[in-house]
Amino acid sequence: MNDITRREFIKWSAMAAVATMAGCSAPQQAAPAPQATARPTVEAAKEWHKSVCRFCGTGCGVQLGIADGKLVALRGDPDHPTTKGLVCAKALFLPKIVYSPDRLTKPQIRKAGKLVDATWDEAMNLVADKFADAIKTAGPDSVAYYGSGQALAEESYLANRLFKGGIGTNNLDGNPRLCMASAVGGYTTTYGKDEPMGSYDDIDHARTFFLIGSNTAEAHPVLFDRILDRKSKNANVQIILVDPRKTPVRRVTDIYLDPIPGFDLDIFHAMAQVIIAEKLHAPDFITKHLVFRKVVDNQNVDVTFDEYVKFLEAFTPEKAAEKCGVPATKIRQAARMFAQGPTMSLWCMGLNQRTVGVWANNLIHNLHLITGQFGKPGATPFSLTGQPNACGGVRDTGALAHLLPYGRVIANADHRAQMEKLWGAPAGKIKAQDGLNTIDMFKALGEDKLKAMIIITTNPGQSLPNANKYRDAMGKERANKPFIVSVDAYPTRTTELADVVLPAAMWSEKEGVFGMSERRYQLMPKLISAPGEARSDFDILLDFAARLEERGVVAKGYIAGKFKTTADVWEEMKEASRNTAYDFTGMSRERMKKERGIRWPVLDETHPGTNRRFVKGDDPLLDKGPFADANLKPGDIKIYTGANNKAIVWLRPSKDPAEPADKDFPFVLSTGRVLEHWHTATMTMKAPELRRAQPEAYCEVHPLDAEKLGIKTGDMVKLTSRRGDVTVRARVVDTPRPGMVFVPMHWYEDNALINKVTIDAYDPASRQPEFKVCAVKVEKGKA
């Protein structure tokens, strides 16, 4: 694999997955780089244990091979009910990644501008002193927590409990704000509560797949394999793709719509217009299950179906084509294919990372609702997730600035009172105002309004948009510079800015729950020891809470002495879910140790888990508890989380992106992923095989644009926005549409850190930034 091409790597990845499924070792590669240990092999394992993958939200079941207390191999788990033994290439190298020689093993404190080793007591006393001083002198809202969809569910829940109910600040947010907040907003504004109602099983029943802003082939390759398997076995299965970039998904697509980046809302409205005009909608479903709504002067106003039809007259395919750049004939074809069904929509960052992300999500739900493509096998709107625990660990536990656990929200007084009672916090301790969302949190940091922040299992020094601004906020020396704590397993572009760095235990070195995209909660066992003095985020939070209690800024006994293990916290989490739409009180720790994940809601130990929500006979909440309805027949639908048990079809206006191309910055930049790397590449770059397969950042330029600019493949190109610039190597390909350039998000070198260029404008509803669209100029750069 020394001179591997990307095409060969994809082929190798597929071979590895097939070999793993068969219980064989993956194909062997060339000798590893000198700084890394030799790649572990399946044959070296003396015992195998079930677990879950560390990477994306697919939640692939894995088996981990252990020998002499060391992790020596990983293979797909053939008994896993949803991923059935498949894993991607990234997962195969996790055993090597865990043992990377640059793992953080000792606490560090910044002294005289340099990070130096310290004892845990020295580091934790400093952290507790800084936070306590800030809280006493400037109030609880002077401190903040920034978390991650990669922390364990129990860790995020504990942090939420500590900050909101203990310290008394709602300044707790996390990186799912950057990737999934608009999906949350779409589900909650449409159905009343978050999370998909369907499951991966719907893939095996769908006739039409509607993929929007999702490079499923590279970002979720195991799910893409399942889609391809469905298509290969059924000649009637068709795929519609909406994406301004010809990702590998394009190769298997039946209808491809490539809108001008940021101008796809008109497509979805136009599809709805065609569906109704051609009487492809579902009148009975509409009458029984839907209401129609628009916003007038910041007030929600219900309207009639006829008013919705009138609204859509402004979005005929011909009118939409003028704005989005997609031919009207293709829009009509897509609408008809969607309405045939059963249709499963799948989307990801291309829809979410937008200043109209919630509206875009709403419009996908609209299509499902007006056609009745809902609550039936293969008919469901399904948001894909980028992190292993953004769903179960952050969205569900309420670990965002506006949320409380399991469907509760800060703005609701009853919800606050419920959590205060469960947590043993004084009445009124949880503030009635939302905390700072991610972007506003880091803005406040730069304005010195925040005095102390703890960052756990994430890398905002690289992952935030408009990165130069927020790197300065974290690291620029000044008189009142805030105090930054970074908890991580590896050195990152964030740890380099921190005042204290705490070494964290990683995946397989601690026990806890990951919640994947299809509502399946899976227990990850602790199988190996963390290196050096590294501790789990959970143990660090327990220690932190105890020291804050000692300093009088958190009530004595609020956390200290109450919890010792993640299993202890899990019991309280189950209780918090009781009688909510998320109820998982039937997931005992012992049951989770035995089973390969369980999909909520699940009310008792005998229930197998829920395949489809809101469907009588599938969803146990329609049989028992506050949402039960004895009048329903098996297969009947009741959207019990919606207002008056109905979903909302929203009349959303067309709206342009925050920063379209103009004469000064004539190109649109979009960012995304590649198969071989993940997020900020903190982990995947530790495997030499993955680094060699995709060694450097690049910029895709369309041939028509490259000819005008005099750029050839291999040339260095400089991309400049109103915020910053990068210089990377060009790839002249017809993958992006003309006028668009694409750079992957993973590289951390100064010349390639693409988030120096991206924009921090965000959706006013979800507060999720618009990573996918910003204006840049492109020119030849210097090597």
Side-chain angles (χ1 to χ4, degrees):
M1 283 181 63
N2 286 334
D3 299 314
I4 191 167
T5 67
R6 188 152 183 268
R7 182 180 295 275
E8 288 167 344
F9 185 87
I10 293 173
K11 181 179 178 182
W12 182 89
S13 178
M15 292 169 58
V18 171
T20 302
M21 189 174 181
C24 311
S25 57
Q28 298 297 303
Q29 72 286 340
Q35 73 274 17
T37 57
R39 179 162 113 41
T41 63
V42 170
E43 291 79 5
K46 296 181 180 179
E47 57 190 63
W48 291 91
H49 300 267
K50 75 174 180 69
S51 189
V52 58
C53 181
R54 173 62 177 78
F55 287 114
C56 76
T58 301
C60 294
V62 298
Q63 294 181 345
L64 303 183
I66 306 296
D68 303 321
K70 298 289 184 182
L71 176 61
V72 297
L74 179 150
R75 65 187 181 192
D77 184 352
D79 296 324
H80 194 273
T82 58
T83 56
K84 307 179 193 298
L86 289 175
V87 293
C88 74
K90 293 186 291 291
L92 292 175
F93 291 101
L94 272 166
K96 175 175 286 187
I97 291 167
V98 166
Y99 293 112
S100 175
D102 67 345
R103 281 287 300 271
L104 297 173
T105 59
K106 288 180 177 293
Q108 295 179 309
I109 292 174
R110 189 171 298 279
K111 295 181 178 180
K114 294 183 179 180
L115 288 169
V116 297
D117 289 350
T119 66
W120 271 102
D121 257 351
E122 183 184 5
M124 291 305 295
N125 276 330
L126 176 59
V127 172
D129 285 343
K130 289 289 187 180
F131 271 77
D133 288 347
I135 294 166
K136 290 175 181 177
T137 59
D141 286 337
S142 67
V143 302
Y145 171 97
Y146 188 64
S148 170
Q150 301 162 55
L152 299 174
E154 297 91 337
E155 291 169 341
S156 293
Y157 178 91
L158 183 66
N160 204 15
R161 191 188 207 277
L162 171 61
F163 275 76
K164 291 175 183 171
I167 294 172
T169 180
N170 295 328
N171 289 342
L172 178 140
D173 217 58
N175 61 16
R177 180 73 67 182
L178 306 181
C179 60
M180 297 312 303
S182 292
V184 175
Y187 280 115
T188 56
T189 54
T190 300
Y191 308 104
K193 298 294 180 187
D194 186 21
E195 298 290 13
M197 54 289 303
S199 70
Y200 295 158
D201 292 1
D202 287 299
I203 294 173
D204 303 329
H205 302 280
R207 180 182 175 186
T208 299
F209 292 98
F210 188 39
L211 303 179
I212 319 104
S214 170
N215 181 7
T216 325
E218 296 191 84
H220 299 91
V222 171
L223 289 182
F224 189 64
D225 179 89
R226 192 163 173 176
I227 293 169
L228 293 183
D229 183 64
R230 169 69 175 158
K231 188 172 174 64
S232 69
K233 292 176 180 177
N234 189 323
N236 293 323
V237 169
Q238 298 172 306
I239 297 175
I240 308 167
L241 174 64
V242 181
D243 198 316
R245 182 170 168 260
K246 298 184 188 75
T247 69
V249 178
R250 170 70 181 88
R251 299 173 191 173
V252 296
T253 296
D254 297 280
I255 299 178
Y256 174 50
L257 290 74
D258 59 336
I260 300 167
F263 290 89
D264 52 6
L265 295 188
D266 290 54
I267 291 177
F268 309 137
H269 277 319
M271 289 175 65
Q273 193 274 334
V274 171
I275 286 166
I276 293 173
E278 299 187 3
K279 301 189 184 309
L280 302 175
H281 58 298
D284 290 344
F285 188 92
I286 290 170
T287 300
K288 189 172 183 179
H289 298 295
L290 307 184
V291 294
F292 296 82
R293 186 168 293 171
K294 65 180 180 179
V295 178
V296 179
D297 296 330
N298 294 318
Q299 298 294 318
N300 292 333
V301 177
D302 286 354
V303 300
T304 65
F305 174 71
D306 288 341
E307 287 176 282
Y308 175 59
V309 175
K310 181 71 175 174
F311 166 81
L312 292 176
E313 290 178 2
F315 298 96
T316 63
E318 286 73 21
K319 292 176 181 177
E322 292 175 6
K323 187 160 188 178
C324 71
V326 174
T329 53
K330 284 192 173 185
I331 296 174
R332 282 197 167 83
Q333 290 170 352
R336 292 163 184 159
M337 187 181 291
F338 186 101
Q340 286 176 358
T343 297
M344 184 176 190
S345 294
L346 299 111
W347 66 92
C348 204
M349 299 307 111
L351 207 63
N352 295 334
Q353 289 179 332
R354 306 268 296 286
T355 49
V356 291
V358 173
W359 291 6
N361 274 259
N362 288 149
L363 300 194
I364 302 305
H365 293 302
N366 286 0
L367 291 172
H368 278 270
L369 293 170
I370 64 172
T371 56
Q373 298 294 334
F374 184 91
K376 300 176 289 189
T380 195
F382 196 102
S383 163
L384 294 171
T385 315
Q387 297 186 89
N389 207 20
C391 290
V394 176
R395 291 161 66 170
D396 296 356
T397 66
L400 291 172
H402 65 296
L403 297 178
L404 288 168
Y406 307 111
R408 300 175 178 91
V409 294
I410 292 290
N412 187 305
D414 289 340
H415 292 176
R416 298 195 302 273
Q418 290 168 17
M419 293 315 302
E420 286 165 350
K421 181 179 179 181
L422 180 64
W423 286 345
K429 186 67 175 181
I430 302 175
K431 291 188 174 179
Q433 296 77 34
D434 292 350
L436 295 171
N437 66 76
T438 293
I439 295 300
D440 289 345
M441 183 181 287
F442 282 89
K443 283 181 180 176
L445 198 71
E447 295 164 357
D448 300 337
K449 292 177 181 177
L450 290 176
K451 307 303 179 186
M453 178 188 286
I454 184 167
I455 299 166
I456 287 187
T457 317
T458 188
N459 185 13
Q462 182 180 345
S463 62
L464 289 175
N466 195 2
N468 285 332
K469 177 178 179 179
Y470 301 118
R471 285 181 58 79
D472 284 348
M474 285 183 274
K476 187 175 181 180
E477 285 302 324
R478 54 196 186 274
N480 298 310
K481 179 189 171 300
F483 180 77
I484 304 295
V485 183
S486 178
V487 182
D488 213 308
Y490 303 94
T492 69
R493 297 305 306 265
T494 303
T495 61
E496 70 184 9
L497 304 173
D499 299 290
V500 172
V501 176
L502 301 176
M506 200 193 153
W507 167 88
S508 75
E509 297 167 353
K510 56 185 181 179
E511 178 188 294
V513 172
F514 277 170
M516 65 204 282
S517 298
E518 64 163 358
R519 297 173 283 102
R520 183 180 297 274
Y521 288 174
Q522 302 185 88
L523 183 66
M524 179 186 70
K526 180 182 184 297
L527 297 173
I528 58 175
S529 298
E533 299 177 24
R535 297 179 181 178
S536 71
D537 299 347
F538 181 81
D539 288 333
I540 292 169
L541 285 167
L542 281 182
D543 187 349
F544 180 45
R547 293 174 195 259
L548 292 182
E549 290 182 20
E550 291 171 359
R551 287 158 176 78
V553 293
V554 174
K556 281 279 189 180
Y558 178 71
I559 285 177
K562 192 179 291 288
F563 307 110
K564 293 184 178 178
T565 67
T566 54
D568 296 335
V569 172
W570 182 251
E571 292 304 308
E572 184 175 286
M573 293 167 67
K574 286 197 304 175
E575 192 57 35
S577 80
R578 187 181 299 277
N579 291 327
T580 72
Y582 300 67
D583 197 319
F584 59 92
T585 49
M587 293 191 204
S588 70
R589 205 69 165 189
E590 287 306 309
R591 182 182 181 186
M592 295 190 76
K593 288 178 181 178
K594 296 173 185 176
E595 298 189 30
R596 286 164 166 80
I598 308 162
R599 293 182 290 218
W600 58 264
V602 54
L603 309 188
D604 58 56
E605 293 283 323
T606 62
H607 191 274
T610 299
N611 191 9
R612 292 178 191 89
R613 300 165 71 196
F614 309 136
V615 180
K616 183 73 169 181
D618 276 327
D619 189 336
L621 290 175
L622 290 172
D623 298 319
K624 180 182 177 182
F627 308 110
D629 190 336
N631 296 318
L632 297 177
K633 303 185 300 296
D636 283 353
I637 291 171
K638 182 177 181 179
I639 305 170
Y640 51 77
T641 56
N644 299 316
N645 301 315
K646 292 192 173 187
I648 299 170
V649 169
W650 287 96
L651 284 64
R652 300 299 195 187
S654 181
K655 186 179 178 182
D656 295 351
E659 190 181 70
D662 56 30
K663 62 181 180 61
D664 296 319
F665 298 89
F667 288 86
V668 171
L669 166 70
S670 191
T671 64
R673 302 188 185 203
V674 299
L675 174 72
E676 301 87 349
H677 293 299
W678 193 75
H679 280 208
T680 58
T682 303
M683 293 183 288
T684 50
M685 287 292 181
K686 309 306 180 197
E689 299 83 358
L690 296 174
R691 180 188 282 269
R692 285 198 296 267
Q694 196 64 270
E696 66 176 342
Y698 60 88
C699 175
E700 292 178 351
V701 184
H702 192 277
L704 294 177
D705 297 322
E707 184 177 3
K708 294 175 185 176
L709 295 167
I711 291 171
K712 302 185 297 297
T713 292
D715 289 347
M716 301 304 291
V717 292
K718 182 179 181 181
L719 277 67
T720 305
S721 75
R722 293 175 173 87
R723 293 155 296 281
D725 63 80
V726 297
T727 301
V728 296
R729 202 170 299 279
R731 290 186 184 179
V732 178
V733 289
D734 70 348
T735 306
R737 63 175 291 146
M740 174 189 180
V741 291
F742 170 84
V743 178
M745 62 184 280
H746 311 290
W747 279 267
Y748 41 72
E749 297 86 358
D750 280 335
N751 72 290
L753 204 163
I754 191 59
N755 279 327
K756 295 193 297 182
V757 178
T758 53
I759 191 170
D760 54 353
Y762 61 62
D763 184 312
S766 67
R767 275 73 171 176
Q768 181 166 352
E770 191 156 55
F771 286 93
K772 293 305 180 199
V773 184
C774 76
V776 296
K777 58 183 177 183
V778 181
E779 55 194 326
K780 269 192 174 183
K782 296 179 180 178

